[in-house]
Amino acid sequence: MGHLVTLPILLPMLGAILALLPPCGKNVKIRRMVSQAFAFFTLVASLILLNHSASNNIEVYAVGNWSAPFGIVLVSDMLSTLLISLTSFLALCCIFYASADDDEKGSFFHPLMHFLVMGVNGAFLTGDLFNLFVFFEVLLIASYSLLMHAGDKHKTRSALHYVILNLIGSSIFLIGLGVLYGVLGTLNIADMAVKVSQLTGDDIALAKIGGLLLLIVFGLKAAILPLHLWLPKTYSSALPVIAAMFAIMTKVGVYAMFRVYTIIFGEQAGELAFMAQSWLWPLAILTIAIGAIGVLASEDLRKLTANLVIISVGTLVAAISMHSVIATAAALYYVIHSTLMIAALFLLADLISVQRGKVSDRLVEGRPVAQPYILGGGFLIAALAVMGMPPMSGFIGKIWLLKASSEINGTYIFWPVYLIASFVVLIALSRAGSYLFWRHSNNEATKEIAAPLKTNVIIALLLCSPLMVIFSGPISDFTLAAAKQLHDVTNHVNTVLAISNHGAK
């Protein structure tokens, strides 16, 4: 596959640069066309990598033929290609949606969106922790600016909290990396997995401190309790199309937990094996519970959707702490489903708020929407999927996760918490649907209808749920194989170090 591994990073970077230069910088039509074209090419490159990895291949790209642990390596395996494909598809949908008019509500939407995709894809593909930090910073800098897109004082205040928290998180990340590098002498993930099991004496305690510092950082990025407080306000105040794209952002933190606490601090880590699991399990359960409370207390649809993100993060972190192939496979299926459905709900909230006038998407009586069948039908599909009701994709994800949890001792905690949270989501979404589509303060609907491009993007996202059910066999086979590959630490280490030591494959 050669240099193809680099394309999910290079194409968004090139698209961002071109969108800033003439004639794109001056002409809206050309800027949109270039942005859409590069988003499409990025998706194609990601899908080619996904198809290649489906045969259980791990592709390693050593930048400049510098071997690990000194050089930069990109690792394209089933997990990373699945997530970059999901990111690229979501970015393509958001760019098309914003091209209707949202991109002109502020400056540099398209360049920033491509820089964000570059950072997210880079985080999924990198094979060492220092470059994970670098790509985290790339996506965070782009996200800071995107939060201010079409901003006012309210958005600026929310964005400021987000920026301050993430700057603190970046500082802790650097300290954690410094501690781990001082102890292990490397930040290459595969090399760390080898050396962490050879530690003795005080080095074990130092490595544990470094690993726990990283856990704080990843917990902040993923928004697990008690580091979740920034998320509902930040996501609900952002422009909905940006909040929809941010549905993948918390998954970067979850992905980092999967990589670090399965490969580096997994079962082969000696005295440091499973060092995070005892922390992650109770935090995951509490995150699901606090997310459910937030959903029930939400006053508008965007805040409700933001709290759904917290529940999904708690669910995924619970799967990480189960540390089994089945749980990981179920979590990967759930990642695809939850990311796409939450993005669809944010976009639906946008159209609903515009058509309801002054009351926006607040859960109070207001003006009826002008397109009740499209928006109401879309809301019903998304709500059923998020609740985990048949025949939508959420049902398969929920059942699979419950089955996976039955293999561990914590079933008696996870099942009631997760099922009660699902019931709370059902109540909250039913209440929201009742206010938004049935209870009106008058019968006069606005004449303003949504642009066809926007409704088509939402329909495309919603169609993914039944398609995930129809093709659940191949998708679950892929996620199961990806989970087996992730948990096969020996194969990962041997492949990355062997290929790196002999140049790019």
Side-chain angles (χ1 to χ4, degrees), residues 370-447:
Q371 295 170 288
Y373 297 111
I374 292 177
L375 300 186
F379 178 82
L380 179 64
I381 292 171
L384 288 174
V386 170
M387 290 173 205
M389 301 289 283
M392 296 302 167
S393 52
F395 179 70
I396 295 177
K398 180 192 287 186
I399 295 298
W400 205 359
L401 281 165
L402 290 172
K403 183 182 175 186
S405 70
S406 65
E407 297 178 359
I408 63 170
N409 294 330
T411 302
Y412 65 95
I413 298 176
F414 182 74
W415 277 51
V417 172
Y418 192 52
L419 291 175
I420 291 172
S422 299
F423 182 65
V424 169
V425 171
L426 187 152
I427 293 172
L429 285 172
S430 302
R431 170 173 163 264
S434 171
Y435 274 113
L436 296 172
F437 299 104
W438 286 347
R439 299 166 70 169
H440 308 307
S441 58
N442 60 62
N443 293 321
E444 188 179 346
T446 179
K447 293 179 182 177

Side-chain angles (χ1 to χ4, degrees), residues 333 396 468-479:
Y333 184 95
I396 295 177
M468 284 187 69
V469 176
I470 294 169
F471 297 103
S472 59
I475 294 173
S476 58
D477 288 344
F478 185 93
T479 60

